[in-house]
Amino acid sequence: MRWTASYAADPARSRGRRHIEPGGETRGPRDAFQRDRDRIIHAIAFRRLRHKTQVFVAPDGDHFRVRLTHSLEVAQIGRTIARQLGLNEDLTEALCLAHDIGHPPFGHAGEDALKAATMPAGGFDHNAHTLRILTKLESPYPRWPGLNLSWDMLEGLAKHNGPVRHPSWALAEADADYPLELGQWASLEAQVAAIADDIAYDNHDIDDGLRAGILDLDALCEVPLVASRWGAVCDRHAGVPLAKLRPELVRDQIGVMVNDVIEESRRRIAETGVETVDDVRAAGRQLVGFSPEMAQAERTLKRFMYATLYHSPSQLAAAEVARGLLSRLFSAYAADPSLLPDEWRAALPEAEPQRTRHIADFIAGMTDRYAIARHKEVVGPVDLPEGF
């Protein structure tokens, strides 16, 4: 049994689940948060992440990250931080694994397309769609919709980026069904999941960008954080070919950022004097995060990554194709619902905005390659850029 702090989420004191499960939780010696984690791992929506874009759209290289591998890496970083802070590792891991389940195909380009297509019906937001999937759409159980996750899990997914003052329709709907106290901060476990996500994609996107030849190491080293770590790596491994040191650079940066979060979070927790998870929710501020110096360094790194990787000509071209593909696919299904698969067509609502949202649910669940295949089937072939 690992040590846990008094302000850690406690599965024995979980606020429970939306639906009472007949016979209680009897399948094996697992607590509530371990069950949450396992329900995510066994979810179809989680398995689909292996064919959803992380950075590179529908990557044809086996070594590039996708949403599934990204989520696993976030979970690894999250557990490390949670362990050092005395938090519940199982809840942290479950939140990390589930945080991107609501992403549509083609990453943020796909989200932009669905947001535009569904604007008359309230729009689309991948974080809120995560809650929609886990409480409504993914339904493997005979007596209730969704995975029937714990309140603590749903709260963490809804608010891992902080209190939600103006929830989207999907999040407002989930909150109305099972109030999640959207105006308060979430547990420390949820806050860890959020910062672990930042650390993972900051550094692993560097790895993928260098591998793809889009990022240039010399230009990357103009970023102060990167320059300091690259210098330390080269000094530590003098004489080793530089190409073999690139993974070491990524590892070094992750370590430095993780250590910074642990030290800064301990300082904030002590300063605030929180003693329980309810104290954390009522603290009125983020307690897990970077130090001011690291936060500034990380913002500088992000600006570089947007300018040179995310908004590179090849990435912008791929994103434009992806947006067009999903927009045309949505229009085709909206104009002729008979094109939908039988089970989706049978459940299609007559009234708006539910009708539009239903079509968006179907498209959002697609993988990159399934969306491409369906476009060829219902719209026609599409010219895909190299690497698509």
Side-chain angles (χ1 to χ4, degrees), residues 190-363:
Q191 295 182 41
V192 166
I195 202 75
D197 184 27
D198 286 343
I199 294 172
Y201 78 71
D202 281 345
N203 294 288
H204 295 141
D205 290 359
I206 287 176
D207 190 25
D208 280 354
L210 290 171
R211 184 183 299 276
I214 297 176
L215 292 182
D216 175 74
L217 183 58
D218 290 337
L220 187 61
C221 283
E222 294 178 7
V223 178
L225 175 62
V226 179
S228 67
R229 300 325 310 160
W230 182 242
V233 167
C234 291
D235 289 345
R236 197 162 65 241
H237 299 283
V240 176
L242 296 184
K244 294 184 71 67
L245 297 184
R246 291 176 180 177
E248 190 73 2
L249 166 65
V250 173
R251 287 190 287 268
D252 244 38
Q253 285 199 167
I254 291 174
V256 166
M257 295 172 89
V258 165
N259 287 337
D260 180 87
V261 167
I262 292 168
E263 182 177 346
E264 174 66 13
S265 301
R266 284 173 173 161
R267 186 193 66 78
R268 294 185 194 179
I269 290 168
E271 178 182 80
T272 310
V274 296
E275 295 184 356
T276 69
V277 66
D278 289 333
D279 291 342
V280 170
R281 294 188 176 105
R285 59 175 293 198
Q286 183 179 356
L287 298 180
V288 174
F290 294 124
S291 66
E293 297 78 16
M294 182 59 75
Q296 179 58 47
E298 196 257 355
R299 285 193 293 270
T300 302
L301 174 60
K302 268 194 172 69
R303 286 196 293 270
F304 173 87
M305 294 293 285
Y306 272 95
T308 58
L309 178 60
Y310 308 134
H311 292 167
S312 67
S314 61
Q315 288 295 92
L316 290 176
E320 183 61 28
V321 172
R323 281 192 294 270
L325 189 153
L326 279 201
S327 294
R328 292 188 296 273
L329 200 54
F330 186 95
S331 296
Y333 287 127
D336 185 4
S338 69
L339 297 172
L340 290 166
D342 291 345
E343 66 272 23
W344 284 89
R345 185 173 64 250
L348 183 69
E350 290 291 335
E352 291 288 3
Q354 290 79 13
R355 190 179 182 87
T356 291
R357 293 170 180 175
H358 182 80
I359 295 171
D361 288 340
F362 173 56
I363 294 176

Side-chain angles (χ1 to χ4, degrees), residues 351-384:
E352 291 288 3
Q354 290 79 13
R355 190 179 182 87
T356 291
R357 293 170 180 175
H358 182 80
I359 295 171
D361 288 340
F362 173 56
I363 294 176
M366 293 180 176
T367 61
D368 294 11
R369 64 183 188 177
Y370 185 77
I372 293 170
R374 294 289 70 74
H375 187 281
K376 290 178 181 178
E377 177 185 298
V378 306
V379 179
V382 59
D383 291 329
L384 301 176

